[in-house]
Amino acid sequence: MSDVNREQVRQIVEAIGGQENIDTATHCVTRLRFVLHDESKVDKKKLESIDLVKGSFSNSGQFQVVIGQGLVDKVYKVLAEETGIQEVSKDDVKNAAAKKMNPLQRLVKLLADIFIPILPAIVTAGLLLGLNNVLTAENLFGPDPLIVTYPQWADIAEVINVIASAAFTFLPALIGWSAVKRFGGNPLMGIVLGLVLVHPALLSAYDYPAALEEGNVPTWNLFGLTVESIGYQGQVLPVLVAAYLYALIEKFLDKRVHDSIKLLVVAPVSILITGFAAFIVIGPLTFAAGTAVTGAVIWMFENLGWLGGFIYGGFYAVLVITGMHHTFLPVDLQLISDQGGTFLWPILALSNIAQGSAAFAIFAATFLMKRKDEKLRGLASSSGISAWLGVTEPALFGVNLRYKFPFICALIGSAIAGTLLGANFVLANSIGVGGVPGIISIQAEFWAIFGIGMAIVIVVPFVLTLLYTMFIKKGELE
């Protein structure tokens, strides 16, 4: 690090309230992460004027300063030298931040901690299912699917489908691993718990409605109770609650069983008790609760789709700021399980594009105003691309919220497009990349409507932001 950069690190410390305002600090791939004693002491204007800083925001009790990949590690080392703070783990920082959260924030953080680790598997599956969608959809490149026009591709499409659908077929195992780990238990047993709930000997949850209608649902007699012998494929709540119970039992036994017999007692007893509880109590209750929630959401979109789309499209980016957007991932997964597609995720994808378009407008405005601000141009262009590829935080916190009006213009565009998608009940087969590439995850019959929605979120936020910049702000971006 050069002397200039070292001085800029000192300026970062001063801008966040000085060394005495830092409780704990660490860093991730792109950001410095602080838990501060008093966030009101942060001088954001001064902070974001520093060349090293690409943006800043507060989320889940942490104040985060965007530096950039590769450089952040060097900056943190100088920060540690200048302040004398010792690096702590991300978990330590999260625990320190959690002390400042209210119950709702803690719930949101809990869901984020469980679902974010499994997102790569879900997004990968969504992309591959999108590719399969392209190969098998009718009236896309002609009246027949590509696998009919080119029969040699049929087996390739089938293999792609097997690979892609695995994450959704065994979704409870993924959630079980992450949830048990989050609750402090053995994550391997979380996988086992998830697999128990989708065991092939059970009636599949996908076949349950038909079996119920025909009156041939298999049952067990357990302790004098008649219990339905069904699996929980695609379900979210049953494995979440069961994972919590398993972790409680495992930790309870681990503290009380002698080390010499732990292997023989702790895991077997924990999984046995949890398994019976899952099939007798947890599964039926949470299955009904999950069905009720998705039923209510589906009813709203079927009867007031335009309103649901307007609200979700108009406020999704606000949820991202608070971190509450993570609470809708389980709903998306439940909708995919219950009805074969989700109408929430397509609106999410358009919201991300809208934020990118607003950032691109700021980029364009710097040229029209002949403003030689290379840092702003670079940040606006790179964050716009990032948002169009599904990652909105750089655009949100580095550009749009910094000037406020681009954020609002993006919300307007997203609300309009969300109204269109909601009114037409546009569905995605799966969760994929929440940006421009997301179109391949949309069910083929809705591609035209989704394409119109994409045009809206590209044009409306860009034009509104540019006009506001040039004629209302009169070129002032301070």
Side-chain angles (χ1 to χ4, degrees):
M1 295 284 289
S2 66
D3 291 338
V4 173
N5 285 331
R6 184 173 289 273
E7 177 58 32
Q8 290 178 12
V9 174
R10 295 192 189 105
Q11 292 172 5
I12 292 174
V13 174
E14 293 173 4
I16 62 174
Q19 180 179 341
E20 63 277 4
N21 196 34
I22 301 174
D23 184 351
T24 57
T26 186
H27 69 88
C28 58
V29 178
T30 59
R31 288 160 284 165
L32 297 172
R33 293 169 172 257
F34 299 97
V35 175
L36 302 177
H37 295 296
D38 184 358
E39 289 191 8
S40 66
K41 293 183 179 180
V42 175
D43 186 339
K44 290 201 68 172
K45 186 174 181 180
K46 178 180 178 180
L47 178 65
E48 296 186 1
S49 68
I50 301 169
D51 288 341
L52 280 175
V53 177
K54 305 297 189 294
S56 64
F57 61 96
S58 179
N59 187 32
S60 300
Q62 297 180 43
F63 189 80
Q64 304 186 32
V65 181
V66 183
I67 301 295
Q69 190 170 356
L71 184 58
V72 67
D73 183 59
K74 298 176 183 178
V75 171
Y76 186 85
K77 288 179 181 177
V78 174
L79 177 74
E81 293 173 6
E82 292 293 326
T83 62
I85 63 172
Q86 294 184 349
E87 183 170 11
V88 296
S89 69
K90 293 176 187 176
D91 288 338
D92 290 334
V93 172
K94 288 180 179 180
N95 292 335
K99 297 175 182 178
K100 300 183 178 183
M101 296 180 186
N102 59 44
L104 178 60
Q105 289 174 320
R106 291 183 182 181
L107 174 62
V108 171
K109 179 181 178 297
L110 173 66
L111 292 174
D113 288 345
I114 291 173
F115 284 98
I116 287 178
I118 66 173
L119 268 181
I122 295 173
V123 171
T124 297
L127 283 173
L128 294 178
L129 285 173
L131 177 58
N132 184 71
N133 192 22
V134 173
L135 294 173
T136 59
E138 297 179 353
N139 302 312
L140 192 57
F141 300 103
D144 295 322
L146 286 176
I147 59 172
V148 173
T149 306
Y150 305 97
Q152 65 270 28
W153 291 0
D155 289 343
I156 294 174
E158 186 173 340
V159 172
I160 291 174
N161 185 59
V162 169
I163 296 171
S165 61
F168 292 104
T169 301
F170 299 104
L171 180 63
L174 297 178
I175 297 175
W177 165 79
S178 188
V180 170
K181 182 179 180 182
R182 172 60 181 80
F183 294 134
N186 182 345
L188 178 62
M189 294 307 298
I191 297 176
V192 174
L193 176 61
L195 293 175
V196 166
L197 296 178
V198 294
H199 196 287
L202 304 169
L203 173 69
S204 171
Y206 301 122
D207 299 327
Y208 177 72
L212 186 63
E213 186 175 340
E214 295 170 4
N216 58 1
V217 177
T219 60
W220 293 309
N221 187 312
L222 301 177
F223 312 110
L225 300 171
T226 300
V227 178
E228 293 180 331
S229 174
I230 63 172
Y232 294 95
Q233 288 82 358
Q235 303 296 305
V236 174
L237 289 178
V239 69
L240 276 179
V241 178
Y244 179 69
L245 176 62
Y246 174 86
L248 281 181
I249 298 172
E250 183 191 271
K251 288 187 289 185
F252 176 84
L253 293 176
D254 189 60
K255 292 178 181 178
R256 290 162 176 81
V257 175
H258 193 274
D259 289 346
S260 62
I261 58 171
K262 276 185 178 180
L263 184 63
L264 302 176
V265 175
V266 176
V269 172
S270 300
I271 196 71
L272 192 63
I273 295 175
T274 305
F276 273 99
F279 288 121
I280 296 173
V281 181
I282 296 173
L285 290 179
T286 54
F287 184 85
T291 301
V293 170
T294 55
V297 176
I298 291 170
W299 181 91
M300 180 178 182
F301 271 80
E302 284 181 338
N303 294 275
L304 297 169
W306 65 271
L307 180 59
F310 176 82
I311 294 173
Y312 197 61
F315 287 93
Y316 179 78
V318 178
L319 297 176
V320 173
I321 296 172
T322 64
M324 290 186 66
H325 61 301
H326 296 301
T327 62
F328 286 89
L329 178 56
V331 180
D332 273 313
L333 296 174
Q334 190 75 46
L335 287 170
I336 292 170
S337 172
D338 289 353
Q339 62 169 18
T342 172
F343 39 76
L344 295 178
W345 188 85
I347 300 172
L348 170 162
L350 294 188
S351 175
N352 290 349
I353 297 172
Q355 293 297 327
S357 299
F360 280 133
I362 296 297
F363 172 72
T366 62
F367 284 98
L368 293 175
M369 296 182 303
K370 298 181 179 180
R371 174 172 172 169
K372 295 181 180 180
D373 189 334
E374 295 301 324
K375 179 181 178 181
L376 179 58
R377 285 181 183 177
L379 181 58
S381 60
S382 62
S383 65
I385 293 172
S386 174
W388 276 20
L389 294 177
V391 180
T392 58
E393 281 81 359
L396 275 173
F397 300 110
V399 180
N400 297 348
L401 285 172
R402 175 180 174 184
Y403 299 112
K404 297 183 178 61
F405 67 90
F407 177 70
I408 296 171
C409 293
L411 294 185
I412 293 172
S414 180
I416 295 171
T419 302
L420 174 68
L421 266 59
N424 289 276
F425 207 69
V426 173
L427 294 175
N429 283 325
S430 58
I431 296 168
V433 175
V436 174
I439 190 170
I440 65 173
S441 297
I442 305 299
Q443 293 183 1
E445 61 266 35
F446 298 114
W447 275 23
I449 294 295
F450 188 80
I452 295 172
M454 285 180 65
I456 291 172
V457 293
I458 289 173
V459 174
V460 172
F462 185 90
V463 172
L464 289 180
T465 302
L466 197 58
L467 290 176
Y468 192 95
T469 305
M470 302 304 296
F471 296 104
I472 306 298
K473 295 286 288 186
K474 299 187 184 300
E476 293 295 325
L477 286 175
E478 300 297 341

